[in-house]
Amino acid sequence: MSREGTAQNNRTAAFHSGNPPGKSSFAHQYGGNYKSGWLAFLPDSWLPYVQLARLSPPAGLFLIFLPHLFGILHAAILQQSPPLQLLQTSAMMLCGSFFFSNATHIWNDLIDAPLDARVERTRNRPIPRGAISPLAALVFTITQAIGAAIFLKYLPLKFFRSTLFALPSIVGSTYYPWAKVHTNFPQFVLGICLAWGVIMGSLAMGMEPFGVEATRNGVRVRLDYSTVCLFSAVVLWTMIYDTIYAHLDLEDDIKVGIKSMAVLFRGRTRPVLWQLLTCMAALLFACGKLNDMSILYYGGVGGAVIFLGMMIARVDLRDSQSCWWWFSNGFWFVGGFISTGLFMEYMHRYLLCGISNDA
């Protein structure tokens, strides 16, 4: 058999096994024709759309949903909301996050396509490799954005008011692809977009974390400071993990002119990450202090801080595989710890309230 035939057979075997030939698997999570896991059961024509929406693995979906969940749990604690409302609201926001995640990731790939074609890890994504036309991607984005907008109708506020509250996230997510060209801090822009989920999660529970009220003496701005602390902590968390993620393409980003904190602080990134973590920890503990949280909450956020510290200490920023592993696994632990701390605090107060009412 010829060398070309052997190579072709190897590529065919790799396609069916889901293992890319000669490439580490992280580079093909959202690109190429390689199908593994549940993707193997889908028609080939569906694969580019799943890749555009970042559904395998669904890291993007849960990175968007988790801040919403934080906001939901935080509002439930403050309002002593019933468990059924907490469950129903979480399910609704998960569905809304699904469509919003799809829309933002497709939009990001649509705008980034010319740059993605010049970066080794991303050049096999659906648009650069020609699996989906830009027009088809735009239509797909619009349908997912409409799907996300529908869920605004089910928030306790009127649709127009809910849309106004969501507007900063919509504008920020629309602008984000260009932030990687305009500023050295696209991670901050992304942090604002994702952390806005805390605000929307609070609204979904019927709690407005900020507002403007007319009084006899003029106008009064109402602000819940504990929500501000939680929101700011999520911004910093996003900046930490996305800076680590940005190291995946550091060399290519420098060549093609993509900006990021990884590019700006290259060689000095780790001290910056430690400073961000210190501020994040202070904000999470301030959130607990403002709400008189119990040790259950602090145990959860303490676990998140410890794991993030281990992540910063152990990740090899020069190794793409290491960066991918800590990024793709780390957010589950950190998000899980914070969610658990908030949920345990909610259950603690709910049970105490029930015991007090029985007495």
Side-chain angles (χ1 to χ4, degrees):
M1 181 180 293
S2 68
R3 183 176 303 175
E4 291 79 7
T6 302
Q8 179 61 40
N9 287 341
N10 289 340
R11 285 192 293 270
T12 302
F15 179 92
H16 291 294
S17 68
N19 296 319
K23 292 285 185 182
S24 49
S25 61
F26 77 87
H28 292 264
Q29 292 286 1
Y30 306 120
N33 293 317
Y34 306 100
K35 295 167 65 176
S36 61
W38 63 275
L39 293 179
F41 298 96
L42 298 180
D44 291 345
S45 60
W46 291 22
L47 179 62
Y49 294 93
V50 173
Q51 292 172 337
L52 272 181
R54 303 286 201 279
L55 293 177
S56 179
L61 167 60
F62 286 96
L63 286 172
I64 286 176
F65 172 65
L66 282 170
H68 289 82
L69 182 60
F70 299 164
I72 291 168
L73 289 168
H74 180 253
I77 291 169
L78 298 185
Q79 300 179 144
Q80 297 185 349
S81 305
L84 183 59
Q85 181 189 4
L86 174 62
L87 182 61
Q88 290 174 335
T89 303
S90 298
M92 179 185 69
M93 296 308 284
L94 175 60
C95 293
S97 296
F98 172 81
F99 286 100
F100 186 65
S101 173
N102 292 351
T104 54
H105 285 108
I106 299 164
W107 174 253
N108 185 74
D109 273 17
L110 178 61
I111 303 303
D112 277 355
L115 292 175
D116 284 345
R118 301 167 61 190
V119 175
E120 181 179 2
R121 186 178 62 89
T122 58
R123 65 188 178 192
N124 285 321
R125 286 184 175 173
I127 299 175
R129 76 172 189 266
I132 293 181
S133 69
L135 178 60
L138 178 60
V139 172
F140 191 22
T141 304
I142 293 172
T143 62
Q144 301 306 294
I146 292 172
I150 289 173
F151 284 88
L152 292 175
K153 181 181 178 182
Y154 296 98
L155 297 186
L157 303 179
K158 292 183 178 180
F159 179 77
F160 179 74
R161 189 169 171 81
S162 297
T163 303
L164 287 179
F165 270 100
L167 199 57
S169 178
I170 296 171
V171 173
S173 299
T174 303
Y175 167 70
Y176 172 68
W178 288 286
K180 289 173 279 188
V181 179
H182 296 162
T183 174
N184 289 312
F185 296 94
Q187 283 72 30
F188 177 71
V189 177
L190 181 64
I192 296 291
C193 296
L194 297 187
W196 204 257
V198 173
I199 307 299
M200 299 307 296
S202 299
L203 286 174
M205 290 296 291
M207 173 185 154
E208 294 188 28
F210 60 86
V212 178
E213 299 175 348
T215 65
R216 290 182 179 180
N217 299 323
V219 176
R220 182 173 69 91
V221 177
R222 176 175 43 80
L223 191 65
D224 183 78
Y225 291 105
S226 63
T227 303
V228 173
C229 289
L230 183 58
F231 166 83
S232 302
V234 175
V235 173
L236 297 181
W237 175 39
T238 305
M239 293 174 70
I240 291 171
Y241 70 67
D242 197 61
T243 298
I244 290 174
Y245 180 77
H247 278 78
L248 285 169
D249 308 311
L250 182 58
E251 297 304 321
D252 283 338
D253 286 353
I254 294 172
K255 292 177 183 177
V256 303
I258 297 175
K259 297 180 180 180
S260 70
M261 290 175 61
V263 172
L264 179 64
F265 296 113
R266 56 186 181 275
R268 310 185 307 276
T269 303
R270 208 178 303 270
V272 174
L273 297 179
W274 282 117
Q275 293 175 46
L276 293 174
L277 177 58
T278 301
C279 294
M280 175 186 168
L283 287 164
L284 287 173
F285 279 85
C287 176
K289 183 69 175 177
L290 289 168
N291 292 325
D292 290 325
M293 300 283 199
S294 71
I295 189 66
L296 296 173
Y297 166 80
Y298 291 109
V301 300
V305 170
I306 291 171
F307 187 88
L308 264 180
M310 182 171 65
M311 178 177 174
I312 294 171
R314 299 189 63 179
V315 65
D316 185 351
L317 297 174
R318 298 166 297 179
D319 180 9
S320 295
Q321 284 284 5
S322 177
C323 292
W324 171 254
W325 191 93
W326 283 102
F327 165 78
S328 60
N329 292 281
F331 82 89
W332 290 107
F333 286 96
V334 176
F337 275 123
I338 296 175
S339 299
T340 300
L342 288 166
F343 179 73
M344 293 300 290
E345 180 67 26
Y346 166 76
M347 290 302 300
H348 171 68
R349 296 195 183 192
Y350 178 78
L351 293 174
L352 281 181
C353 182
I355 293 172
S356 299
N357 290 338
D358 292 340

